[in-house]
Amino acid sequence: MYSSDTTKYLIHINLHAEGVVEKPDVVGAIFGQTEGLLGEDLDLRDLQRTGRVGRIDVHIMSKKGETRGEILISSSLDRAETAILAASLETIDRVGPCVAHATVERIEDIRVTKRKQIVERAKELLITHFDESAIDSTELLDTVRESLRIEKISVLGEERVPAGPNVLDSDAIIVVEGRADVINLLRYGIKNAVAVEGTKVPAVITKLCEIKTATAFFDGDRGGDLILRELLQVAEVDYVAFCPRGKSVEELTRKEVIKSLRNKVPTEYIRDQLTDTKEEAPAEAIPLQETMPVIVSEVKEPEEAAKSIPTAQPVMTLEQQILEVEGRGMARFLTSDYTLVSEAKAGDVERAVEEVDSDTAGVIIDRPVDQKLIDVFLAKGLEFIAAPEFRDIVKRPLSLRLMKIRKA
């Protein structure tokens, strides 16, 4: 009915038609009578095409010459936009040949519903799953200090976007989605975060990105991807930090926040994937000398390299892992925090991917990647691929992040 990971609100509309109508008549009336009513930004067809409004579910029943029922429309717009959209649907006065009356019964906040479920479950867990423990004075101090940090949140620009207290003074900023994200980062002592607060990037953030080192840090969902894509089009972003897939920045733990920011990647690695909205047409392979590796690593003998699968690995960033792969004709399978899982020759990667375990989240490979190879990685559940070239790509999976390795 609706996508639970992106939907914020569910609009409930009661419909009464003075005659017998069918579902296609209702859907046609909705699109036909709201077209051009709210301007381009809130055009229902465009909102549905971009995923900001979900499918329209119609549940009606005809009896004694009249039709009654309910219309459900899921929305990932903000409160004001959702309210406007709901109000516009009440202007429907005809369905097919019949006079009709549409009334908004309620607008359900999906997150509130979930929060209620979470609170009830938390109460249950609190009672049944905790042992009695002594009072920890450190926790008490952290709680008091945390409340002080949260109170320091400020606003910037005419748009009054939420920001940490050090955004203007710091040489670097972290751009997040909303106020809750800023508060969560403040909770962990990160005071240079600023929120875009919606899908339209405020001018103050664009200006800040021009003069400071900017890192984008959005939720690991479709909404986060879209905001990141827009931000890269209008602002000079230097790095992108990825939230674990399916999670929001506001719910991350301290360890997850630090790990995500530590593993940020230069924007150049992902810009092509996120800013190019068209499907890549099959193209001739670019000669190797035109796409020199980002960093030239020390080259080992191929046989020796193929056997060198370390058993205990130090923590490395994505860029350091690329260093180890570039120019060696190798492939490295990594966890979500870029810890090495296994290593194989690039030519044997189709066989090697079958042997990796569920902890494997991505691969860095020193060879061109085509659609067939992407399908293999996708079937294995990988989340990202870093390679020097992507060719003959006709379908880019949304759940798979493609990062093109470039020369520094």
Side-chain angles (χ1 to χ4, degrees):
M1 186 169 63
Y2 59 86
S3 177
S4 59
D5 57 344
T6 58
T7 297
K8 296 178 181 176
Y9 305 100
L10 188 62
I11 305 171
H12 296 254
I13 302 170
N14 285 332
L15 177 70
H16 174 211
E18 297 177 2
V20 177
V21 297
E22 296 181 345
K23 290 183 180 179
D25 299 321
V26 177
V27 175
I30 291 173
F31 282 109
Q33 295 180 42
T34 59
E35 185 174 10
L37 187 62
L38 302 177
E40 295 181 355
D41 290 341
L42 289 177
D43 182 76
L44 187 56
R45 292 184 190 278
D46 288 339
L47 293 175
Q48 199 172 45
R49 184 172 62 251
T50 56
R52 300 170 68 192
V53 167
R55 57 172 295 182
I56 298 173
D57 289 301
V58 178
H59 306 279
I60 56 176
M61 180 179 295
S62 297
K63 191 175 182 180
K64 296 183 178 179
E66 60 180 13
T67 304
R68 293 181 182 273
E70 185 181 35
I71 304 170
L72 300 177
I73 302 178
S74 58
S75 164
S76 60
L77 303 170
D78 61 25
R79 291 164 62 96
E81 291 171 330
T82 300
I84 292 173
L85 177 63
S88 72
L89 298 173
E90 288 192 338
T91 64
I92 296 172
D93 55 5
R94 183 168 291 276
V95 175
C98 305
V99 174
H101 309 279
T103 306
V104 176
E105 179 188 9
R106 61 192 173 100
I107 300 177
E108 179 183 358
D109 189 329
I110 300 298
R111 296 165 300 178
V112 170
T113 303
K114 288 183 177 179
R115 280 197 288 270
K116 289 180 179 177
Q117 295 174 351
I118 292 171
V119 169
E120 292 303 316
R121 179 57 177 160
K123 290 178 181 176
E124 181 182 345
L125 294 175
L126 187 62
I127 296 172
T128 61
H129 289 68
F130 280 90
D131 296 326
E132 292 294 333
S133 57
I135 296 176
D136 189 337
S137 57
T138 304
E139 288 186 9
L140 294 176
L141 288 172
D142 287 344
T143 302
V144 174
R145 286 167 179 160
E146 175 185 313
S147 63
L148 185 60
R149 289 170 183 160
I150 293 174
E151 288 179 358
K152 289 182 178 179
I153 190 168
S154 59
V155 294
L156 295 178
E158 296 179 356
E159 301 88 348
R160 299 185 63 78
V161 294
N166 290 358
V167 167
L168 295 179
D169 298 331
S170 176
D171 294 331
I173 60 171
I174 299 171
V175 184
V176 295
E177 280 191 44
R179 177 185 174 87
D181 301 331
V182 175
I183 291 175
N184 195 36
L185 296 186
L186 274 176
R187 186 174 293 125
Y188 304 141
I190 300 173
K191 304 177 181 179
N192 59 338
V194 58
V196 295
E197 283 281 88
T199 54
K200 185 178 181 180
V201 178
V204 64
I205 290 184
T206 305
K207 293 178 181 176
L208 287 171
C209 290
E210 290 178 359
I211 59 177
K212 298 174 182 288
T213 302
T215 299
F217 189 24
F218 297 127
D219 295 348
D221 56 18
R222 173 70 173 159
D225 293 344
L226 293 176
I227 297 175
L228 173 60
R229 181 175 296 174
E230 180 180 340
L231 182 66
L232 293 180
Q233 291 177 359
V234 301
E236 297 178 11
V237 179
D238 301 282
Y239 296 95
V240 177
F242 291 100
C243 184
R245 205 65 190 168
K247 286 193 172 184
S248 302
V249 174
E250 65 182 87
E251 66 185 14
L252 295 184
T253 64
R254 179 194 298 271
K255 184 176 181 180
E256 290 172 326
V257 168
I258 298 303
K259 184 182 292 184
S260 297
L261 292 176
R262 187 189 65 200
N263 290 322
K264 64 185 179 183
V265 297
T267 304
E268 288 74 14
Y269 284 5
I270 61 168
R271 183 179 292 278
D272 287 349
Q273 180 197 358
L274 292 177
T275 58
D276 183 8
T277 57
K278 298 179 180 179
E279 296 292 344
E280 286 188 355
E284 295 294 332
I286 301 174
L288 181 60
Q289 54 270 30
E290 295 182 12
T291 58
M292 291 296 289
V294 179
I295 304 165
V296 178
S297 60
E298 182 180 354
V299 179
K300 296 182 178 181
E301 289 298 324
E303 292 185 2
E304 179 187 349
K307 297 175 181 177
S308 59
I309 304 176
T311 55
Q313 295 296 321
V315 176
M316 298 175 70
T317 65
L318 176 64
E319 198 162 354
Q320 289 172 324
Q321 293 288 8
I322 292 174
L323 267 169
E324 298 296 320
V325 172
E326 282 285 346
R328 293 176 56 199
M330 302 300 294
R332 280 195 166 197
F333 293 96
L334 310 176
T335 64
S336 58
D337 60 354
Y338 307 129
T339 301
L340 176 63
V341 175
S342 64
E343 189 177 67
K345 291 182 179 178
D348 298 335
V349 71
E350 291 90 342
R351 178 186 54 78
V353 72
E354 298 298 328
E355 300 175 358
V356 299
D357 56 26
S358 58
D359 292 334
T360 305
V363 60
I364 302 173
I365 183 169
D366 187 27
R367 60 173 264 199
V369 173
D370 57 15
Q371 184 66 53
K372 182 179 179 181
L373 198 51
I374 282 181
D375 292 340
V376 171
F377 292 145
L378 184 64
K380 195 62 182 177
L382 299 192
E383 299 175 2
F384 66 86
I385 305 172
E389 182 182 353
F390 295 92
R391 59 171 61 159
D392 299 339
I393 306 300
V394 297
K395 182 180 179 182
R396 287 181 173 178
L398 294 176
S399 61
L400 193 59
R401 197 165 68 241
L402 308 183
M403 294 182 285
K404 190 172 183 178
I405 300 173
R406 292 176 179 271
K407 181 181 179 180

